[in-house]
Amino acid sequence: MRRSVANRLTPYMFLAPAAVIMAIALLYPLGYMIWGSFRDWNPSQTIGEAEFVGLKNYVTLWNDPNFHESLGVTLKFAFFVVSFEMVIGVGLALLLDRDIRGMSVLRTLFILPMMIAPVVVGLMWRYMYHPTVGTFNRFLEDIGLPSVDWLGQHALMSIIIADIWQWTPFIFILSLAALQSLPSSALEAARIDGATGWQQIVHIKLPLMMPVLIVTALLRLIDAFKVLEVILVMTQGGPGLSTEILALRISRTATEFRELGVAAAMSNYLLMLLLLLTVAMFAFNRLQEIRAARTRAAAEEGV
Amino acid sequence: MPKIRLENLIKRYGNVEVLHGIDLEMADNEFTVLVGPSGCGKSTTLRMIAGLEDVSEGEIYVDEKPISHLEPKDRDLAMVFQDYALYPHMNVAQNISFALRLAKRPKSEIESKVRDVAATVGLTEFLDRKPGALSGGQRQRVAMARALAKDSSMFLFDEPLSNLDAKLRGQMRAELALMSQRVQKNMIYVTHDQIEAMTLADRIVVMHGGYIQQQGTPKELFQRPVNKFVAGFLGMPPMNFLEGVIEERSNGVYVKGDGFDLRLEPEKAAGAKSHSSKEVTLGIRPSDLKYDPDVAAEDALQLDIMVSEYIGAQSVLLCQCGSAKVMVELNSDVPVSFGQSLTFAVNTNGVHLFDRQSEVAL
Ligand SMILES: Nc1ncnc2c1ncn2[C@@H]1O[C@H](COP(=O)(O)OP(=O)(O)OP(=O)(O)O)[C@@H](O)[C@H]1O
Ligand SMILES: [Mg+2]
């Protein structure tokens, strides 16, 4: 009797340390942030001294055009970045999914950008985008074209390009893995059925990769909402508010404007947005499972 | 419909040669079965005909036109895969009609074709289901229907029944035989199951180790196997092999071994006498051994029963003849007991002799 209780408790005992660390490292700051977002809180005060203001911070943000601007930039950034990365990443995977000598080297090369620290990526691109000595403008000059004001007039486009460069490999490797796990005989059957290479992609490969692609896109989307370092290094949000994504605005609100409560409220808005995406992702997975279970059940009864 | 001819077909993977020159001719509307043990190159041969594997050397001719440079889709063939290879994201109707839709046939034609084919294989009520929601046998039918819908002139099958249970396999085998009579196409069928091969084939091609061992009608191969491998591969229960020596005596030619001394019938005797080596392997099918206590010793095998397997009207007995094991069939009504010694008459026309070294039939 005692023994069986102990047996049942064993897994929880093993889980306990991880649970404690989770609580301290994750839930505590999260709770702190939510708690702080209801207060008018200056960095020089402890949270206890700060005045409780209820939903004021949230309401202020809701009506703040700068916040809207920042949110807009974030959404635009995330949308373009993920769209382009999906198209390029999946396209590359479809192109490179074949047995050619040297392909493994090529694949490794493609993955390199993902392995570089974000700050280094930011510095690198800032240098390349430099109006006079930067790689791009020097190149444009050399071939006799007018130079481009990369980080000024076209700042948003420039940071989008840099992000695409850095994160396309992520989509690429996941798509490649999905492609290589496709049932090869279904593709052979399609070849015999008369599908051209392009038709195989449209009718067989893409539909079968879709579950992986959707999850990949959602992961990238969640990540794109949180980018900070690269943009901080490249533009610091400027010029004006043109590249001030939410993560950057949050950090500035906390440090420059010294309004911890507002920053916390903003973080919570972002958190809710991400939560929505995550829930969407889980719901999608769950839906797939349910559908799989249902078809399995139907198969069993239909033997 | 077309004539298919394989000429000195060779396949190499890197430095490893897995097919060593396959020469094969298949006549119009012939049902050809490639049969052989696992790894002998059946699938590779079939996939080369389909265009899914490159030909390393040699050529494939269809109506005397070389086709080995053509894409699979340009070869006018349909194929049924061992794992069915259905498109998991399409329902049954879409699976069946995929080739027709790619060929941009008119919608009404596609619909009627799908309905016809589905009715033929008994899938009408499942047209809306995805393959994941079908049983193994139903999936197999979808694969068959998809091949039928294409109206190609050649059908290729790669072990289409091997994933089914024994009963369903028997049923599908019969349906397949019916279908092949009805559609009148060239069929090439790969299997490692010799019963499938015997029942379905117009022509059997026995392969082993990347070589064709023998080809011909099922009857030819069963009655006159050219070597010990073919003899042992076809027939169930398999042929018994006993080692013996040819002895010429005044009253005839005998083959003598551990526990037996058989007289050969005149035709066999002539062949055995002219052969250089006297060391032979004697092959006798269980069906050529009849229980008969009164037969003369020189026409019989004396067998000690080791195991009796009851399988209904017939029992299969595993017996000992000298140091060799021999399988025989016996009416289950005959009472037998372990260790008992029984006399079996040998059908002298059913005696096969093979050179012990080369294993070629004498
Ligand atoms: N891609 C490959 N690379 C190297 N060797 C291969 C490859 N595919 C097949 N082989 C070899 O070729 C030989 C023939 O294979 P094949 O698939 O034709 O056998 P099979 O007769 O169809 O056997 P089974 O009855 O098991 O399906 C085998 O020895 C196998 O190891
Ligand atoms: Mg095979």
Side-chain angles (χ1 to χ4, degrees):
Chain A
M1 183 63 209
R2 283 257 294 286
R3 206 189 158 78
S4 80
V5 172
N7 269 346
R8 243 178 307 132
L9 287 181
T10 314
Y12 296 102
M13 270 150 53
F14 279 106
L15 280 176
V20 170
I21 290 172
M22 276 277 280
I24 295 175
L26 200 70
L27 295 182
Y28 177 73
L30 196 67
Y32 208 78
M33 179 175 79
I34 294 171
W35 185 227
S37 70
F38 297 119
R39 290 167 178 263
D40 184 5
W41 182 17
N42 188 293
S44 59
Q45 301 167 305
T46 65
I47 196 165
E49 293 163 356
E51 183 193 350
F52 184 84
V53 293
L55 287 176
K56 178 165 162 273
N57 290 334
Y58 290 93
V59 176
T60 316
L61 280 175
W62 192 259
N63 298 319
D64 179 1
N66 285 347
F67 175 67
H68 293 170
E69 170 94 35
S70 187
L71 189 64
V73 170
T74 308
L75 289 174
K76 233 187 286 176
F77 175 80
F79 172 78
F80 282 115
V81 154
V82 174
S83 314
F84 279 111
E85 285 169 10
M86 287 303 291
V87 172
I88 302 173
V90 174
L92 276 178
L94 287 170
L95 273 178
L96 297 187
D97 174 34
R98 57 190 67 188
D99 292 323
I100 301 177
R101 197 167 301 173
M103 195 50 84
S104 61
V105 178
L106 207 56
R107 283 181 198 148
T108 317
L109 278 178
F110 271 115
I111 300 168
L112 271 178
M114 218 172 74
M115 301 196 246
I116 304 173
V119 176
V120 179
V121 172
L123 285 170
M124 232 166 64
W125 281 86
R126 191 170 78 179
Y127 171 74
M128 292 198 291
Y129 280 142
H130 192 280
T132 50
V133 299
T135 316
F136 293 131
N137 274 355
R138 281 233 304 270
F139 173 73
L140 288 177
E141 223 170 85
D142 282 350
I143 61 170
L145 290 174
S147 59
V148 174
D149 187 11
W150 294 103
L151 292 178
Q153 239 177 326
H154 306 288
L156 187 59
M157 181 186 82
S158 301
I159 61 169
I160 287 175
I161 291 175
D163 194 89
I164 291 172
W165 177 84
Q166 195 189 5
W167 286 106
T168 299
F170 175 74
I171 314 255
F172 167 69
I173 48 171
L174 288 185
S175 317
L176 198 62
L179 259 178
Q180 286 172 348
S181 65
L182 293 188
S184 63
S185 61
L187 287 166
E188 287 175 347
R191 280 174 66 193
I192 289 182
D193 272 348
T196 60
W198 180 246
Q199 285 169 328
Q200 284 173 47
I201 291 174
V202 174
H203 295 295
I204 314 284
K205 290 183 183 175
L206 285 182
L208 290 182
M209 286 165 77
M210 206 39 88
V212 174
L213 293 187
I214 289 177
V215 171
T216 310
L218 277 167
L219 282 175
R220 263 313 289 147
L221 207 56
I222 289 172
D223 231 36
F225 278 117
K226 298 189 303 187
V227 343
L228 176 67
E229 302 97 320
V230 178
I231 298 174
L232 186 69
V233 172
M234 274 169 61
T235 65
Q236 285 160 327
L241 294 181
S242 63
T243 59
E244 196 184 63
I245 40 121
L246 264 186
L248 201 56
R249 182 158 187 90
I250 292 169
S251 114
R252 285 182 65 199
T253 311
T255 53
E256 275 173 46
F257 313 148
R258 302 172 68 78
E259 291 185 51
L260 290 185
V262 181
M266 212 176 324
S267 295
N268 283 339
Y269 272 131
L270 185 58
L271 185 68
M272 280 186 267
L273 201 68
L274 293 182
L275 223 52
L276 217 66
L277 279 175
T278 314
V279 167
M281 187 167 98
F282 275 120
F284 172 78
N285 272 343
R286 188 88 193 99
L287 211 71
Q288 292 260 314
E289 271 165 35
I290 291 173
R291 199 182 306 156
R294 207 173 38 214
T295 52
R296 224 174 300 126
E300 265 147 31
E301 119 202 352
V303 174
Chain B
M1 286 160 264
K3 255 212 238 4
I4 306 165
R5 189 159 63 86
L6 312 183
E7 193 178 275
N8 191 30
L9 215 53
I10 291 176
K11 178 68 191 178
R12 288 186 207 94
Y13 289 109
N15 298 326
V16 188
E17 192 171 291
V18 298
L19 285 181
H20 319 281
I22 298 291
D23 283 301
L24 189 58
E25 221 167 301
M26 294 165 249
D28 293 359
N29 299 335
E30 203 171 40
F31 199 118
T32 308
V33 175
L34 305 181
V35 65
S38 190
C40 69
K42 312 177 294 283
S43 298
T44 308
T45 309
L46 194 74
R47 291 167 57 80
M48 277 158 78
I49 297 173
L52 298 171
E53 298 281 354
D54 293 333
V55 172
S56 305
E57 234 173 82
E59 185 57 71
I60 304 166
Y61 297 93
V62 170
D63 284 338
E64 297 309 317
K65 278 196 292 287
I67 60 157
S68 65
H69 59 283
L70 293 179
E71 280 287 300
K73 65 186 170 69
D74 301 323
R75 296 190 183 196
D76 188 24
L77 47 82
M79 181 159 170
V80 179
F81 291 78
Q82 176 168 7
D83 61 354
Y84 312 142
L86 302 179
Y87 310 122
H89 57 294
M90 299 183 196
N91 66 25
V92 171
Q94 289 165 328
N95 261 286
I96 296 177
S97 63
F98 188 59
L100 301 175
R101 284 185 284 137
L102 288 180
K104 301 243 167 21
R105 300 278 185 82
K107 207 163 180 185
S108 56
E109 183 196 326
I110 293 179
E111 270 170 22
S112 72
K113 187 89 206 173
V114 168
R115 235 178 299 117
D116 286 355
V117 171
T120 316
V121 298
L123 278 172
T124 309
E125 27 185 336
F126 303 112
L127 283 177
D128 297 329
R129 290 231 196 135
K130 295 261 176 77
L134 294 176
S135 71
Q138 291 162 344
R139 279 180 220 178
Q140 209 280 334
R141 285 160 200 269
V142 179
M144 213 67 106
R146 186 174 65 183
L148 278 176
K150 261 193 84 184
D151 262 337
S152 321
S153 52
M154 268 189 264
F155 275 77
L156 310 182
F157 301 88
D158 191 354
E159 309 207 17
L161 306 184
S162 61
N163 287 338
L164 304 178
D165 67 51
K167 189 157 167 250
L168 200 54
R169 189 156 53 212
Q171 197 182 325
M172 292 303 293
R173 198 168 61 214
E175 285 183 26
L176 209 76
L178 261 179
M179 188 190 93
S180 78
Q181 283 169 12
R182 209 172 39 226
V183 296
Q184 289 291 316
K185 304 248 165 102
N186 249 324
M187 312 237 179
I188 307 176
Y189 188 104
V190 162
T191 180
H192 60 251
D193 179 353
Q194 51 100 14
I195 296 182
E196 258 169 51
M198 298 292 273
T199 51
L200 290 171
D202 294 324
R203 175 202 299 274
I204 293 190
V205 180
V206 178
M207 296 180 67
H208 183 44
Y211 292 98
I212 291 185
Q213 300 289 323
Q214 189 176 4
Q215 50 171 310
T217 64
K219 202 167 162 190
E220 277 167 20
L221 264 65
F222 189 76
Q223 294 183 339
R224 279 189 296 283
V226 294
N227 59 29
K228 192 180 158 195
F229 176 81
V230 176
F233 192 79
L234 298 178
M236 197 73 217
M239 186 183 277
N240 298 299
F241 294 109
L242 299 164
E243 312 226 309
V245 197
I246 304 286
E247 284 183 7
E248 285 180 56
R249 298 176 200 159
S250 54
N251 58 343
V253 180
Y254 285 71
V255 52
K256 183 174 166 48
D258 191 5
F260 65 93
D261 191 4
L262 280 179
R263 190 173 58 180
L264 295 174
E265 47 102 16
E267 198 184 320
K268 280 268 152 43
K273 257 196 317 207
S274 61
H275 192 65
S276 56
S277 167
K278 296 299 159 207
E279 308 230 303
V280 294
T281 303
L282 172 70
I284 306 173
R285 296 192 189 279
S287 52
D288 289 322
L289 290 166
K290 289 273 171 318
Y291 171 60
D292 185 354
D294 308 321
V295 78
E298 59 183 16
D299 291 327
L301 289 184
Q302 198 67 31
L303 302 174
D304 301 328
I305 299 176
M306 294 165 70
V307 179
S308 164
E309 288 176 331
Y310 178 80
I311 50 169
Q314 294 276 314
S315 291
V316 174
L317 306 184
L318 181 61
C319 309
Q320 194 138 18
C321 177
S323 57
K325 308 253 185 312
V326 171
M327 259 193 234
V328 291
E329 285 172 315
L330 184 62
N331 192 317
S332 295
D333 294 338
V334 181
V336 293
S337 60
F338 174 78
Q340 193 182 354
S341 186
L342 298 179
T343 308
F344 280 83
V346 176
N347 171 10
T348 45
N349 288 321
V351 169
H352 302 265
L353 292 173
F354 306 98
D355 183 280
R356 208 182 295 171
Q357 240 71 55
S358 65
E359 304 198 336
V360 175
L362 299 190

